[in-house]
């Protein structure tokens, strides 16, 4: 196929959106989980331990054994059509693409789903965008609350994968949307929908993924952003400190992580007489191992063992209409002034004559 560099250089840049989620193993098997964990736990944004200390731990103790222990957990939440996080992220991307196209004759704006770790990779999504002529790209890491361990890591990977490009695309990115009105409204709607279907529990637990306390002490704003999200959600639902709690889950290792810990708070609520506990994980855009297995299954069993009656997990926003609308609005905000126009044939002809 003949490639016309003049036309490529003077054509109105095509815009696109890159939606990036954390990632997932390709299959619920020890081998696939080992590959995924190897990539995830090798990220210096995630593990801020000197390589000389961390590498023997990772390759000598974690990767040889942990994947086998996790295989059953992943298998317990796996969908027929794949990993929940990947299935929901693809559905969200399709919804956002449909929302951006508008159905009113506007040119289609492609939306590329990608995973920070695993497949489809950021590299493959960027290559797809390049093949489709995208010269202006909005990057939306699907982490509502910014952290260096998540959002910054995504941007690291984007720039790393573009470092060899001769003609890099223009980039805009969403730093955080922890207090975005559309996102808060979508969360509140999901809780109300749960209450309408199952009745209202006595307490709402808002559990976020934890990070090591020393990351927060070093300046990571994640803890504060989580609390603002929780405050806004509580206000939208007319809850106070007696009827809701903010906690942090999924800690790993012996060092202190953000507190209060979700498991300990669950024990305390059961001991205080709470029998029906509603739980939501506002930091997860899509359901995954931490929500479906850790929260719904592990913590559900723990709550019952501590004397509670039922922990009712409220699903992540996934590809709900309100979530699609919120992310589409974020994308449109970044796309302002970037919307594609038609190719100017006269400009191409003038440039070609000069060259």
């Amino acid at each position: 196929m003949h490639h016309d560099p003049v036309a490529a250089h003077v054509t109105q840049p095509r815009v696109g959106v890159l939606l990036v989620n954390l990632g997932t193993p390709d299959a619920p098997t020890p081998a696939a989980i080992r590959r995924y964990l190897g990539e995830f736990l090798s990220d210096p944004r995630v593990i801020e331990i000197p390589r000389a200390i961390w590498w023997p731990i990772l390759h000598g103790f974690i990767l040889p054994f942990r994947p086998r222990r996790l295989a059953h957990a992943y298998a317990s939440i796996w969908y027929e059509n794949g990993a929940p996080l990947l299935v929901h992220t693809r559905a969200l991307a399709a919804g956002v693409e449909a929302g951006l196209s508008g159905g009113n004759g506007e040119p289609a704006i492609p939306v590329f789903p990608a995973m920070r770790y695993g497949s489809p990779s950021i590299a493959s999504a960027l290559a797809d965008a390049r093949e489709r002529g995208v010269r202006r790209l909005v990057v939306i890491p699907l982490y509502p609350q910014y952290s260096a361990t998540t959002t910054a890591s995504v941007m690291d990977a984007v720039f790393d994968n573009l470092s060899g490009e001769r003609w890099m695309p223009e980039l805009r990115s969403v730093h955080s949307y922890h207090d975005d009105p559309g996102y808060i409204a979508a969360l509140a709607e999901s809780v109300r929908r749960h209450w309408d279907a199952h009745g209202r529990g006595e307490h709402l637990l808002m559990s976020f993924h934890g990070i090591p306390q020393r990351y927060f002490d070093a300046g990571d704003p994640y803890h504060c952003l989580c609390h603002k999200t929780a405050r806004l959600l509580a206000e939208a639902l007319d809850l106070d400190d007696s009827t809701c709690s903010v906690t942090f889950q999924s800690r790993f290792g012996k060092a202190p992580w953000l507190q209060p810990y979700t498991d300990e708070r669950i024990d305390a609520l059961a001991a205080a007489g709470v029998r029906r506990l509603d739980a939501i994980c506002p930091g997860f855009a899509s359901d995954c191992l931490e929500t479906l297995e850790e929260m719904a299954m592990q913590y559900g069993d723990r709550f019952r063992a501590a004397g509670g009656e039922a922990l009712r997990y409220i699903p992540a926003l996934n590809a709900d209409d309100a979530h699609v609308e919120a992310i589409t609005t974020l994308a449109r905000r970044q796309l302002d002034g970037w919307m594609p126009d038609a190719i100017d044939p006269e400009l191409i002809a003038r440039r070609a004559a000069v060259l």
Side-chain angles (χ1 to χ4, degrees):
M1 181 181 293
H2 176 67
H3 174 66
D4 183 352
V6 174
H9 294 167
V10 299
T11 298
Q12 172 73 25
R14 189 179 189 190
V15 300
V17 176
L18 179 68
L19 291 187
V20 187
N21 216 327
L22 181 75
T24 175
D26 293 326
T29 62
I33 295 169
R34 187 174 297 110
R35 288 193 299 271
Y36 167 71
L37 285 183
E39 184 179 4
F40 175 44
L41 297 177
S42 296
D43 186 346
R45 287 283 198 181
V46 174
I47 306 295
E48 297 182 6
I49 298 175
R51 303 291 93 175
I53 298 173
W54 176 240
W55 237 236
I57 298 173
L58 176 62
H59 293 280
F61 296 96
I62 295 176
L63 294 182
F65 305 107
R66 188 168 176 80
R68 286 199 295 270
R69 294 197 297 269
L70 286 175
H72 174 74
Y74 273 106
S76 71
I77 57 108
W78 212 259
Y79 294 167
E80 288 187 4
N81 55 341
L85 183 141
L86 180 57
V87 170
H88 291 306
T89 302
R90 282 176 166 159
L92 177 62
V96 173
E97 182 169 286
L100 290 175
S101 296
N104 57 358
E106 295 179 12
I109 297 174
V111 177
F112 307 93
M115 300 290 131
R116 175 60 184 88
Y117 316 103
S119 300
S121 66
I122 289 175
S124 67
L126 290 173
D128 191 9
R130 182 172 59 252
E131 287 296 314
R132 295 178 66 176
V134 172
R135 301 294 321 143
R136 289 172 166 172
L137 188 65
V138 173
V139 183
I140 305 181
L142 290 172
Y143 309 110
Q145 299 80 23
Y146 173 94
S147 172
T149 62
T150 52
T151 307
S153 178
V154 165
M155 298 312 300
D156 286 347
V158 168
F159 282 108
D160 285 348
N161 280 283
L162 292 175
S163 63
E165 294 288 327
R166 183 173 297 279
W167 190 17
M168 292 180 65
E170 191 174 359
L171 296 177
R172 291 177 180 173
S173 64
V174 174
H175 182 276
S176 178
Y177 56 98
H178 64 285
D179 57 357
D180 176 74
Y183 159 69
I184 298 298
L187 289 174
E189 179 182 319
S190 73
V191 175
R192 294 190 193 100
R193 188 166 59 240
H194 169 83
W195 286 345
D196 289 342
H198 305 286
R200 184 166 176 163
E202 300 150 60
H203 198 90
L204 179 65
L205 186 73
M206 295 179 278
S207 180
F208 296 83
H209 198 292
I211 62 172
Q213 177 66 35
R214 65 186 181 87
Y215 293 10
F216 170 60
D217 295 340
D220 196 301
Y222 176 73
H223 177 268
C224 301
L225 304 186
C226 290
H227 274 277
K228 185 171 185 182
T229 294
R231 176 176 61 79
L232 293 173
L233 178 57
E235 290 174 356
L237 297 171
D238 197 24
L239 299 175
D240 57 30
D241 290 344
S242 68
T243 51
C244 68
S245 300
V246 180
T247 62
F248 297 90
Q249 66 184 83
S250 308
R251 67 186 184 276
F252 178 76
K254 297 180 180 180
W257 281 44
L258 297 181
Q259 298 185 45
Y261 298 137
T262 299
D263 52 0
E264 294 179 356
R265 182 60 177 156
I266 285 173
D267 292 345
L269 288 168
V274 173
R275 291 297 169 261
R276 292 191 305 164
L277 177 63
D278 295 326
I280 188 170
C281 300
F284 294 89
S286 308
D287 275 318
C288 55
L289 187 72
E290 288 80 0
T291 64
L292 298 175
E293 197 276 336
E294 183 181 19
M295 175 57 72
M297 296 181 186
Q298 285 189 40
Y299 290 161
D301 291 343
R302 185 180 184 118
F303 183 64
R304 288 188 294 272
E309 182 179 304
L311 184 153
R312 292 100 56 86
Y313 169 63
I314 301 169
L317 295 177
N318 295 319
D320 284 355
D321 289 346
H323 193 208
V324 169
E325 183 178 351
I327 301 300
T328 301
T329 299
L330 287 176
R332 280 194 176 279
R333 196 175 299 149
Q334 294 296 322
L335 288 166
D336 185 37
W338 266 11
M339 304 304 284
D341 298 319
I343 296 174
D344 183 349
E346 293 185 4
L347 177 59
I348 294 176
R350 289 199 300 272
R351 286 292 303 273
V354 170
L355 295 176

